[in-house]
Amino acid sequence: MVTIRDIAQACGVSIATVSNVLNGKKNVSAEMRTRVMEKVREMNYTPNSVAKNLKTKKTRTLGIIVEDITIFSIPDLVDGITECCEVNNYRVMLSNLRLFQKFDDAYYHQDVYREQLHEVLRLLLADQVEAVIYISAHERTIHCLPDHFPIPLVMCYAYSATPGVPSLLIDETTPTKELIQSAIDMGHRRIGVITGKQDSVHTQQRLLAYRQALAQNGIPYDPGLICEGDWERESGIRCTDRLLEQGATTIFCMNDLMAGGVYARLKELGLVVGRDVGVMGYDNRLLSQYLDPPLTTVELPLHDLGCRAGEIALAALSAESAPPPEHTYVAGKVILRGSVQKIEPPLE
């Protein structure tokens, strides 16, 4: 590997002169700067970042821990953090816990991975990352981050139970109310719901927003229009008949996978999505735009949430920065497509 000493010998100058050129010091003539840089390119010299980091005690590296990279939401969150780091000339070091692959969703309510997480944090400290962002697979309260960690920690897509660790979260309320309002504005008053799992924060927040939207429009809440799903396509199929029996004119599914199940069941019944029964989803997964008709849904602000998490983590490295808020929310946006159409509301 070519060193500064090799460059200095090839140029017939001191090591200090080469160092001054590489570090942009002004006390070097233009001729000498050109001569040294030509030799640097010719010899394919690459600075030793490890040695430089030992000297400056700065690695310009951000650690990212993800619960499982195979979960659909995580790549966009990582991409947002990476973009933020790229703009700020930081690198990222990614650790994948692979929790869903190891434990399925059993780990959501346990800290079975605490030791594994703490070992990863120790390794990131050994690699001298300057801050760490922990990315959850879905929103819940996480208790297993260590207290008094020596570098900034940021929680992304979950609530941190650790004092001093800020949380970046999705605003579920605003877009859900807008989604339900869009159906009400088209004449729908019997809006059925296929929920996610009942213990999910996403389910609870979206159901509350649904009820708020009804109340704001003077529409009574009917528990008969709520059918419990489990985020999977089959529960969309299963709940469709029940909601139709309750007189639902449109069906709000709390994710796009269950909405796909509703599409399939309506087709079996000879009903046309949009014309006969409206369908709404959530997440704006890739499949939503390829359904026929394309699905009205909510786009999660995953990239923006990741970028904001990166900004907060990097800001924490500055002594002049004010402490971040305990919770920072980023709202998604409603994507209106052809799966819900205007109807004439029934006479009351």
Side-chain angles (χ1 to χ4, degrees), residues 11 86 91 140 221 303 318 327:
C11 292
E86 184 179 296
R91 299 179 300 169
R140 65 190 195 280
Y221 170 71
H303 182 276
S318 171
H327 298 136

Side-chain angles (χ1 to χ4, degrees), residues 175-197:
T176 301
K177 290 171 69 173
E178 291 177 0
L179 184 71
I180 301 305
Q181 186 65 51
S182 71
I184 294 172
D185 290 343
M186 286 187 277
H188 295 270
R189 296 179 66 83
R190 300 288 292 171
I191 301 173
V193 180
I194 303 177
T195 73
K197 293 183 177 180

Side-chain angles (χ1 to χ4, degrees), residues 123-137:
L123 292 173
L124 288 174
L125 281 177
D127 287 325
Q128 295 186 301
V129 301
E130 296 182 32
V132 175
I133 298 175
Y134 183 97
I135 301 180
S136 170

